[in-house]
Amino acid sequence: MGACDGDSASAAAWSRTRGRAVTALEETLGTLRPRRRIGLRPLREVVGREPLALRPTEETHEVAVERPVASPYATAAAPRTATALARRLRIERGQRLLTAAADAVVVSAAALLAWVLAPFLGAQPDALPCALSAAVWWTALRVAGSRSATATAARPRLLAPTVVAFGLLTMGFVAVESEAIRPVLLVAAPIGLAGLALSREALRFRAAVRRRAGHDLASALLVGRAVDVEGFAAALARDDASGYRIDGSVLIEDTADPAEVIERVTAAAGSLGTDTVIVASAPPAGSDLIKRLGWRLEGLAAEIVVANGLRDTAPSRLALLQIQGVPFVQVQVPRYRGASHLAKRAVDVVVSTLALVAIGAVLPVIALAIKLDSPGPVFFLQERIGRDGRPFRMVKFRSMSQSAEAERERLEAANEGAGPLFKLRDDPRVTTVGRFLRKFSVDELPQFWNVLRGDMSVVGPRPPLPREVFAYERSAYRRLYVKPGITGPWQVGGRSDLTWEESVRIDLRYVENWSIATDLKIILRTAAVVVRPKGAY
């Protein structure tokens, strides 16, 4: 009985102590946050999360925290990752791991080759320097962030981290007076760099193939004015390797309230489960709206893509600047003279020389087929307009009858060409052999002679006829700022199936943005187009 009385007295004492403590603290906190019931927590923590369960400790009877439940300060907590975003992050993580593994294979193979060839370079084969070089190189690529896995990541810069890695290695080996760096610099560096470039292109090709098949796509929500959203959606539909799948859109007006826009976009992104928001129009409140929208999308989306309105401008001509927190896009003005054009001319000379040697081997066969098929010369000469409006005589294998030019006026009414172009799908002037030559672009092979002479380039806009130039609008004259090419964006982009406006646009995009890398890509794509011809007639 005495024990029970003691327990009852202890419980009553604890109840009074807890009541006074809670009352005192609530009165104190009530002056800070009136009309909100706050529970008791140790004062070194943030006060006021939510009512807490209290219990006495066995020895000291001090108030202890049982566990937090929900919090009136929940908005202060970092947002949780949504399911769609988690899926996107898993895909990107897998792509980065795949790239890292490919890098490891390439740099290890390059280091191994340097070790094998070391005796031939007057150095002792030492495995440790080669392994160290591979490790430093792989780490430099990681630190430089060259393994971006985003859907629209630009081609990574491999040269800078490679130079830094081998610069550090060289200083280290020189400091210890070791010659083991010689095979690494002469063998591993150039071969490994080439291997890295090829492996990255192979991975990009793999990613493009998977995207065309509908895999690893970023779920996108389009935001903007109706005309901009439609244009952006059409552009993405034409590029099936862009990495985006449009799952919805939010149409806004120029006078839309920014707060309302943010609410609508956030609600749509949450309901559709999109991981990317594409802003196709200039937002009503400028960059501040983008910043606040980014806050609301934290945990829901991985990125916001903002269209800058600079259509047909290559990324190599763009640079992002920031002045006092305000972002600016710097656009480099196109240049039509300089070292890059000299390099292009050097490539033209080498490629045309090699091509003419190869053409010489099949020239007798082609010439004999043309002569047996129809009367007339083997080659056809025609005046075309070149760079800066200078005319030149372009040479081709003859693919039409001798009276083709005289018969053109009779066929003018049946013209199927776009704009000032004259084209017929079933042109009666084309000979039997000529139809084969045109289908596989064999009739254009003699134009390598024009390239060697300097009238044309291997890659460039289509060489126009004088009558076509007379019909040009003002902007189309910009096609004549560079040399015309045997192949170009027009040939690999659809050829005669393109509208006149489309052919002018893609030619002007090439004129303003061309590079040696772009030319090499077009040459490779031309080989695929020749094997599977489309739009050639």
Side-chain angles (χ1 to χ4, degrees), residues 107-108 110-111 114 126-141 159-190 192 196:
V107 299
S108 299
D126 193 344
L128 180 59
C130 293
L132 179 63
S133 301
V136 172
W137 195 359
W138 188 91
T139 304
L141 292 170
L159 183 59
T162 299
V163 170
V164 171
F166 283 98
L168 294 175
L169 288 168
T170 301
M171 289 188 293
F173 281 105
V174 170
V176 298
E177 299 181 353
S178 172
E179 295 183 356
I181 192 63
R182 185 187 307 165
V184 173
L185 288 176
L186 296 180
V187 177
L196 285 172

Side-chain angles (χ1 to χ4, degrees), residues 144-160:
S146 65
R147 297 171 186 148
S148 174
T150 55
T152 56
R155 281 176 172 77
R157 299 183 183 274
L158 301 174
L159 183 59

Side-chain angles (χ1 to χ4, degrees), residues 346-366:
V347 172
D348 286 342
V349 171
V350 172
V351 172
S352 60
T353 301
L354 296 176
L356 288 173
V357 171
I359 293 169
V362 298
L363 177 60
V365 177
I366 298 175

Side-chain angles (χ1 to χ4, degrees), residues 199-264:
S199 69
R200 296 301 177 87
E201 286 302 315
L203 290 174
R204 287 179 63 86
F205 178 77
R206 172 186 175 275
V209 170
R210 287 185 58 82
R211 289 166 189 160
R212 289 191 180 97
H215 303 297
D216 302 340
L217 296 177
S219 173
L221 174 69
L222 275 176
V223 180
R225 295 186 298 269
V227 60
D228 296 327
V229 167
E230 291 174 2
F232 208 99
L236 290 177
R238 289 193 297 268
D239 186 2
D240 54 0
S242 65
Y244 293 114
R245 182 186 68 244
I246 305 302
D247 288 338
S249 63
V250 176
L251 303 182
I252 61 175
E253 302 294 336
D254 293 334
T255 57
D257 178 46
E260 179 186 353
V261 171
I262 292 174
E263 290 299 327
R264 291 175 58 197

